[in-house]
Amino acid sequence: MPSDGQRHGSRWRRERIVRLASTTGLASVEELAAEFDVTASTIRRDLAQLTTEGRLARTYGGAIALDPHPESTLRQRIGDAFEQKQGIARWAAGQVRPGENVLLDAGSTVGALALELRTTFPLTVATTSMTVLQALADVDEIHVQCLGGTLRHVSQGFVGPLTEAALDRMTFDRAFLGADGVTADSGICEAELDQTRLKELMADRAEHVYVLAHAEKLGRRPFHAWARLPRGWTLVTDDGVDPAALAPFLAAGIRTVVTDADGTQV
């Protein structure tokens, strides 16, 4: 009888190898052979093929991911922690008052917030997000302003000097920011510096700043670009958060809001 690794085939196995190497940073031939119940020579052929494709770099006895923390696309992230993001979005929507000027960042949780805001009007929403534009495009009572610029396809958000120039002419009652990771000492972590510079500018233009981040993002440092946040910002996360992950934010005096799936603060 063929093993699971054999039954799934080489293409499936190679995709799994890339994912494992991206998670752990380093994958050995022996570990991968045991994981997929195939021979070491089979794994070596897989690694050779993935190296040729430019997806891994060979090391002595194994392989290392070219990027240990690849940035997920917006489409990939939408289904992650779905209920938690909905709860965060519902609480955030409850902070917005009719008549306000609101700034919405790119990201899946902020996209969920846009859907919750469809019944809050009159309202002015400025955004860098294609997802937000699509969510609010047919709501006549909401005035939508697109902060254009260069589209990052992976996040479906606009960045760059044109976006920054538009922001320089505007102020907002509230700004809601997304994050790939967030820490109490360094702020928001993102894949590229143009993202973090833009988030800093967005935070500077708003009276109230909220970072929407489900529990798994707290304390994470997946990349090397950071956005510093002004004093008085609010972290909004879900009730699955580990108290140890929340503790640095509380110790730093950062306002923290923990919500359940219904958007109720707990």
Side-chain angles (χ1 to χ4, degrees), residues 53-76:
E53 294 173 0
R55 304 181 68 189
L56 292 179
R58 292 296 299 272
T59 64
Y60 180 77
I64 190 169
L66 293 176
D67 182 352
H69 300 286
E71 185 180 5
S72 300
T73 66
L74 181 65
R75 186 182 299 274
Q76 291 170 325

PDB file of all heavy atoms in Angstrom, residues 53-76:
ATOM      1  N   GLU A  53      14.127  25.967  -9.022  1.00  0.00           N
ATOM      2  CA  GLU A  53      13.011  26.894  -9.200  1.00  0.00           C
ATOM      3  C   GLU A  53      13.207  28.184  -8.412  1.00  0.00           C
ATOM      4  O   GLU A  53      12.388  29.108  -8.517  1.00  0.00           O
ATOM      5  CB  GLU A  53      11.708  26.213  -8.760  1.00  0.00           C
ATOM      6  CG  GLU A  53      11.310  25.032  -9.636  1.00  0.00           C
ATOM      7  CD  GLU A  53      10.119  24.271  -9.071  1.00  0.00           C
ATOM      8  OE1 GLU A  53       9.615  24.665  -7.993  1.00  0.00           O
ATOM      9  OE2 GLU A  53       9.690  23.285  -9.707  1.00  0.00           O
ATOM     10  N   GLY A  54      14.252  28.240  -7.599  1.00  0.00           N
ATOM     11  CA  GLY A  54      14.514  29.448  -6.817  1.00  0.00           C
ATOM     12  C   GLY A  54      13.658  29.584  -5.582  1.00  0.00           C
ATOM     13  O   GLY A  54      13.537  30.678  -5.017  1.00  0.00           O
ATOM     14  N   ARG A  55      13.084  28.491  -5.104  1.00  0.00           N
ATOM     15  CA  ARG A  55      12.185  28.555  -3.947  1.00  0.00           C
ATOM     16  C   ARG A  55      12.875  28.195  -2.637  1.00  0.00           C
ATOM     17  O   ARG A  55      12.376  28.524  -1.559  1.00  0.00           O
ATOM     18  CB  ARG A  55      10.984  27.650  -4.185  1.00  0.00           C
ATOM     19  CG  ARG A  55      10.235  27.989  -5.467  1.00  0.00           C
ATOM     20  CD  ARG A  55       9.030  27.104  -5.664  1.00  0.00           C
ATOM     21  NE  ARG A  55       8.011  27.366  -4.675  1.00  0.00           N
ATOM     22  CZ  ARG A  55       6.927  26.609  -4.516  1.00  0.00           C
ATOM     23  NH1 ARG A  55       6.740  25.545  -5.270  1.00  0.00           N
ATOM     24  NH2 ARG A  55       6.032  26.899  -3.595  1.00  0.00           N
ATOM     25  N   LEU A  56      14.001  27.492  -2.714  1.00  0.00           N
ATOM     26  CA  LEU A  56      14.791  27.146  -1.542  1.00  0.00           C
ATOM     27  C   LEU A  56      16.267  27.318  -1.875  1.00  0.00           C
ATOM     28  O   LEU A  56      16.647  27.356  -3.044  1.00  0.00           O
ATOM     29  CB  LEU A  56      14.549  25.688  -1.117  1.00  0.00           C
ATOM     30  CG  LEU A  56      13.181  25.293  -0.565  1.00  0.00           C
ATOM     31  CD1 LEU A  56      13.165  23.806  -0.246  1.00  0.00           C
ATOM     32  CD2 LEU A  56      12.829  26.105   0.676  1.00  0.00           C
ATOM     33  N   ALA A  57      17.082  27.400  -0.842  1.00  0.00           N
ATOM     34  CA  ALA A  57      18.531  27.396  -1.001  1.00  0.00           C
ATOM     35  C   ALA A  57      19.080  26.166  -0.291  1.00  0.00           C
ATOM     36  O   ALA A  57      18.723  25.904   0.866  1.00  0.00           O
ATOM     37  CB  ALA A  57      19.144  28.668  -0.422  1.00  0.00           C
ATOM     38  N   ARG A  58      19.923  25.399  -0.962  1.00  0.00           N
ATOM     39  CA  ARG A  58      20.481  24.184  -0.378  1.00  0.00           C
ATOM     40  C   ARG A  58      21.502  24.518   0.691  1.00  0.00           C
ATOM     41  O   ARG A  58      22.264  25.476   0.583  1.00  0.00           O
ATOM     42  CB  ARG A  58      21.132  23.312  -1.460  1.00  0.00           C
ATOM     43  CG  ARG A  58      20.169  22.695  -2.446  1.00  0.00           C
ATOM     44  CD  ARG A  58      19.208  21.713  -1.779  1.00  0.00           C
ATOM     45  NE  ARG A  58      19.901  20.595  -1.155  1.00  0.00           N
ATOM     46  CZ  ARG A  58      20.218  19.458  -1.788  1.00  0.00           C
ATOM     47  NH1 ARG A  58      19.914  19.313  -3.078  1.00  0.00           N
ATOM     48  NH2 ARG A  58      20.826  18.481  -1.157  1.00  0.00           N
ATOM     49  N   THR A  59      21.495  23.715   1.745  1.00  0.00           N
ATOM     50  CA  THR A  59      22.510  23.775   2.785  1.00  0.00           C
ATOM     51  C   THR A  59      23.070  22.377   2.972  1.00  0.00           C
ATOM     52  O   THR A  59      22.556  21.413   2.395  1.00  0.00           O
ATOM     53  CB  THR A  59      21.909  24.246   4.126  1.00  0.00           C
ATOM     54  OG1 THR A  59      20.958  23.274   4.580  1.00  0.00           O
ATOM     55  CG2 THR A  59      21.229  25.597   3.986  1.00  0.00           C
ATOM     56  N   TYR A  60      24.116  22.273   3.773  1.00  0.00           N
ATOM     57  CA  TYR A  60      24.672  20.944   4.034  1.00  0.00           C
ATOM     58  C   TYR A  60      23.636  20.114   4.799  1.00  0.00           C
ATOM     59  O   TYR A  60      23.245  20.458   5.901  1.00  0.00           O
ATOM     60  CB  TYR A  60      25.964  21.038   4.852  1.00  0.00           C
ATOM     61  CG  TYR A  60      26.581  19.689   5.140  1.00  0.00           C
ATOM     62  CD1 TYR A  60      27.287  19.004   4.150  1.00  0.00           C
ATOM     63  CD2 TYR A  60      26.430  19.103   6.388  1.00  0.00           C
ATOM     64  CE1 TYR A  60      27.841  17.770   4.391  1.00  0.00           C
ATOM     65  CE2 TYR A  60      26.983  17.858   6.647  1.00  0.00           C
ATOM     66  CZ  TYR A  60      27.690  17.195   5.641  1.00  0.00           C
ATOM     67  OH  TYR A  60      28.231  15.958   5.904  1.00  0.00           O
ATOM     68  N   GLY A  61      23.162  19.044   4.162  1.00  0.00           N
ATOM     69  CA  GLY A  61      22.213  18.149   4.815  1.00  0.00           C
ATOM     70  C   GLY A  61      20.767  18.574   4.752  1.00  0.00           C
ATOM     71  O   GLY A  61      19.902  17.958   5.371  1.00  0.00           O
ATOM     72  N   GLY A  62      20.451  19.641   3.990  1.00  0.00           N
ATOM     73  CA  GLY A  62      19.062  20.066   3.948  1.00  0.00           C
ATOM     74  C   GLY A  62      18.856  21.274   3.070  1.00  0.00           C
ATOM     75  O   GLY A  62      19.517  21.444   2.049  1.00  0.00           O
ATOM     76  N   ALA A  63      17.930  22.142   3.475  1.00  0.00           N
ATOM     77  CA  ALA A  63      17.623  23.340   2.704  1.00  0.00           C
ATOM     78  C   ALA A  63      17.089  24.404   3.640  1.00  0.00           C
ATOM     79  O   ALA A  63      16.571  24.106   4.719  1.00  0.00           O
ATOM     80  CB  ALA A  63      16.602  23.039   1.620  1.00  0.00           C
ATOM     81  N   ILE A  64      17.209  25.657   3.210  1.00  0.00           N
ATOM     82  CA  ILE A  64      16.702  26.777   3.981  1.00  0.00           C
ATOM     83  C   ILE A  64      15.797  27.615   3.090  1.00  0.00           C
ATOM     84  O   ILE A  64      16.040  27.754   1.887  1.00  0.00           O
ATOM     85  CB  ILE A  64      17.845  27.637   4.552  1.00  0.00           C
ATOM     86  CG1 ILE A  64      17.317  28.664   5.552  1.00  0.00           C
ATOM     87  CG2 ILE A  64      18.641  28.308   3.437  1.00  0.00           C
ATOM     88  CD1 ILE A  64      18.408  29.347   6.344  1.00  0.00           C
ATOM     89  N   ALA A  65      14.730  28.138   3.669  1.00  0.00           N
ATOM     90  CA  ALA A  65      13.834  28.993   2.900  1.00  0.00           C
ATOM     91  C   ALA A  65      14.545  30.283   2.520  1.00  0.00           C
ATOM     92  O   ALA A  65      15.290  30.852   3.320  1.00  0.00           O
ATOM     93  CB  ALA A  65      12.574  29.305   3.709  1.00  0.00           C
ATOM     94  N   LEU A  66      14.335  30.754   1.303  1.00  0.00           N
ATOM     95  CA  LEU A  66      14.921  32.018   0.878  1.00  0.00           C
ATOM     96  C   LEU A  66      14.358  33.175   1.668  1.00  0.00           C
ATOM     97  O   LEU A  66      15.017  34.164   1.915  1.00  0.00           O
ATOM     98  CB  LEU A  66      14.695  32.227  -0.621  1.00  0.00           C
ATOM     99  CG  LEU A  66      15.447  31.242  -1.525  1.00  0.00           C
ATOM    100  CD1 LEU A  66      15.081  31.485  -2.975  1.00  0.00           C
ATOM    101  CD2 LEU A  66      16.954  31.383  -1.330  1.00  0.00           C
ATOM    102  N   ASP A  67      13.104  33.067   2.061  1.00  0.00           N
ATOM    103  CA  ASP A  67      12.474  34.055   2.931  1.00  0.00           C
ATOM    104  C   ASP A  67      11.797  33.278   4.048  1.00  0.00           C
ATOM    105  O   ASP A  67      10.752  32.670   3.828  1.00  0.00           O
ATOM    106  CB  ASP A  67      11.434  34.879   2.160  1.00  0.00           C
ATOM    107  CG  ASP A  67      10.802  35.961   3.027  1.00  0.00           C
ATOM    108  OD1 ASP A  67      11.058  35.960   4.243  1.00  0.00           O
ATOM    109  OD2 ASP A  67      10.075  36.801   2.486  1.00  0.00           O
ATOM    110  N   PRO A  68      12.341  33.265   5.267  1.00  0.00           N
ATOM    111  CA  PRO A  68      11.762  32.479   6.344  1.00  0.00           C
ATOM    112  C   PRO A  68      10.340  32.893   6.697  1.00  0.00           C
ATOM    113  O   PRO A  68       9.609  32.130   7.288  1.00  0.00           O
ATOM    114  CB  PRO A  68      12.717  32.758   7.530  1.00  0.00           C
ATOM    115  CG  PRO A  68      13.971  33.259   6.927  1.00  0.00           C
ATOM    116  CD  PRO A  68      13.553  33.959   5.673  1.00  0.00           C
ATOM    117  N   HIS A  69       9.941  34.096   6.357  1.00  0.00           N
ATOM    118  CA  HIS A  69       8.598  34.571   6.708  1.00  0.00           C
ATOM    119  C   HIS A  69       7.955  35.221   5.480  1.00  0.00           C
ATOM    120  O   HIS A  69       7.808  36.445   5.409  1.00  0.00           O
ATOM    121  CB  HIS A  69       8.675  35.581   7.854  1.00  0.00           C
ATOM    122  CG  HIS A  69       9.282  35.021   9.087  1.00  0.00           C
ATOM    123  ND1 HIS A  69       8.625  34.140   9.912  1.00  0.00           N
ATOM    124  CD2 HIS A  69      10.511  35.192   9.628  1.00  0.00           C
ATOM    125  CE1 HIS A  69       9.407  33.817  10.928  1.00  0.00           C
ATOM    126  NE2 HIS A  69      10.551  34.439  10.770  1.00  0.00           N
ATOM    127  N   PRO A  70       7.554  34.441   4.486  1.00  0.00           N
ATOM    128  CA  PRO A  70       6.963  35.033   3.284  1.00  0.00           C
ATOM    129  C   PRO A  70       5.660  35.748   3.621  1.00  0.00           C
ATOM    130  O   PRO A  70       4.903  35.314   4.486  1.00  0.00           O
ATOM    131  CB  PRO A  70       6.711  33.811   2.389  1.00  0.00           C
ATOM    132  CG  PRO A  70       6.594  32.662   3.332  1.00  0.00           C
ATOM    133  CD  PRO A  70       7.535  32.972   4.459  1.00  0.00           C
ATOM    134  N   GLU A  71       5.446  36.862   2.935  1.00  0.00           N
ATOM    135  CA  GLU A  71       4.229  37.630   3.178  1.00  0.00           C
ATOM    136  C   GLU A  71       3.053  36.955   2.502  1.00  0.00           C
ATOM    137  O   GLU A  71       3.082  36.665   1.310  1.00  0.00           O
ATOM    138  CB  GLU A  71       4.393  39.048   2.631  1.00  0.00           C
ATOM    139  CG  GLU A  71       3.222  39.956   2.933  1.00  0.00           C
ATOM    140  CD  GLU A  71       3.415  41.347   2.370  1.00  0.00           C
ATOM    141  OE1 GLU A  71       4.410  41.575   1.659  1.00  0.00           O
ATOM    142  OE2 GLU A  71       2.557  42.207   2.649  1.00  0.00           O
ATOM    143  N   SER A  72       1.998  36.697   3.261  1.00  0.00           N
ATOM    144  CA  SER A  72       0.802  36.083   2.707  1.00  0.00           C
ATOM    145  C   SER A  72       0.013  37.120   1.913  1.00  0.00           C
ATOM    146  O   SER A  72       0.020  38.308   2.237  1.00  0.00           O
ATOM    147  CB  SER A  72      -0.088  35.533   3.831  1.00  0.00           C
ATOM    148  OG  SER A  72       0.596  34.554   4.575  1.00  0.00           O
ATOM    149  N   THR A  73      -0.692  36.669   0.889  1.00  0.00           N
ATOM    150  CA  THR A  73      -1.555  37.577   0.140  1.00  0.00           C
ATOM    151  C   THR A  73      -2.807  37.860   0.943  1.00  0.00           C
ATOM    152  O   THR A  73      -3.160  37.117   1.871  1.00  0.00           O
ATOM    153  CB  THR A  73      -1.948  36.971  -1.212  1.00  0.00           C
ATOM    154  OG1 THR A  73      -2.772  35.813  -0.984  1.00  0.00           O
ATOM    155  CG2 THR A  73      -0.715  36.567  -2.020  1.00  0.00           C
ATOM    156  N   LEU A  74      -3.506  38.928   0.583  1.00  0.00           N
ATOM    157  CA  LEU A  74      -4.751  39.258   1.259  1.00  0.00           C
ATOM    158  C   LEU A  74      -5.748  38.121   1.107  1.00  0.00           C
ATOM    159  O   LEU A  74      -6.456  37.765   2.054  1.00  0.00           O
ATOM    160  CB  LEU A  74      -5.329  40.554   0.689  1.00  0.00           C
ATOM    161  CG  LEU A  74      -6.634  41.022   1.330  1.00  0.00           C
ATOM    162  CD1 LEU A  74      -6.416  41.381   2.789  1.00  0.00           C
ATOM    163  CD2 LEU A  74      -7.206  42.217   0.574  1.00  0.00           C
ATOM    164  N   ARG A  75      -5.815  37.520  -0.051  1.00  0.00           N
ATOM    165  CA  ARG A  75      -6.739  36.409  -0.291  1.00  0.00           C
ATOM    166  C   ARG A  75      -6.460  35.243   0.670  1.00  0.00           C
ATOM    167  O   ARG A  75      -7.373  34.617   1.183  1.00  0.00           O
ATOM    168  CB  ARG A  75      -6.627  35.939  -1.738  1.00  0.00           C
ATOM    169  CG  ARG A  75      -7.657  34.877  -2.126  1.00  0.00           C
ATOM    170  CD  ARG A  75      -7.429  34.428  -3.566  1.00  0.00           C
ATOM    171  NE  ARG A  75      -7.581  35.532  -4.487  1.00  0.00           N
ATOM    172  CZ  ARG A  75      -8.749  35.905  -5.001  1.00  0.00           C
ATOM    173  NH1 ARG A  75      -9.852  35.262  -4.684  1.00  0.00           N
ATOM    174  NH2 ARG A  75      -8.811  36.917  -5.854  1.00  0.00           N
ATOM    175  N   GLN A  76      -5.174  34.970   0.924  1.00  0.00           N
ATOM    176  CA  GLN A  76      -4.809  33.897   1.843  1.00  0.00           C
ATOM    177  C   GLN A  76      -5.183  34.232   3.275  1.00  0.00           C
ATOM    178  O   GLN A  76      -5.527  33.349   4.061  1.00  0.00           O
ATOM    179  CB  GLN A  76      -3.308  33.625   1.741  1.00  0.00           C
ATOM    180  CG  GLN A  76      -2.873  32.995   0.433  1.00  0.00           C
ATOM    181  CD  GLN A  76      -1.357  32.958   0.280  1.00  0.00           C
ATOM    182  OE1 GLN A  76      -0.651  33.867   0.724  1.00  0.00           O
ATOM    183  NE2 GLN A  76      -0.855  31.916  -0.347  1.00  0.00           N
TER     184      GLN A  76
END
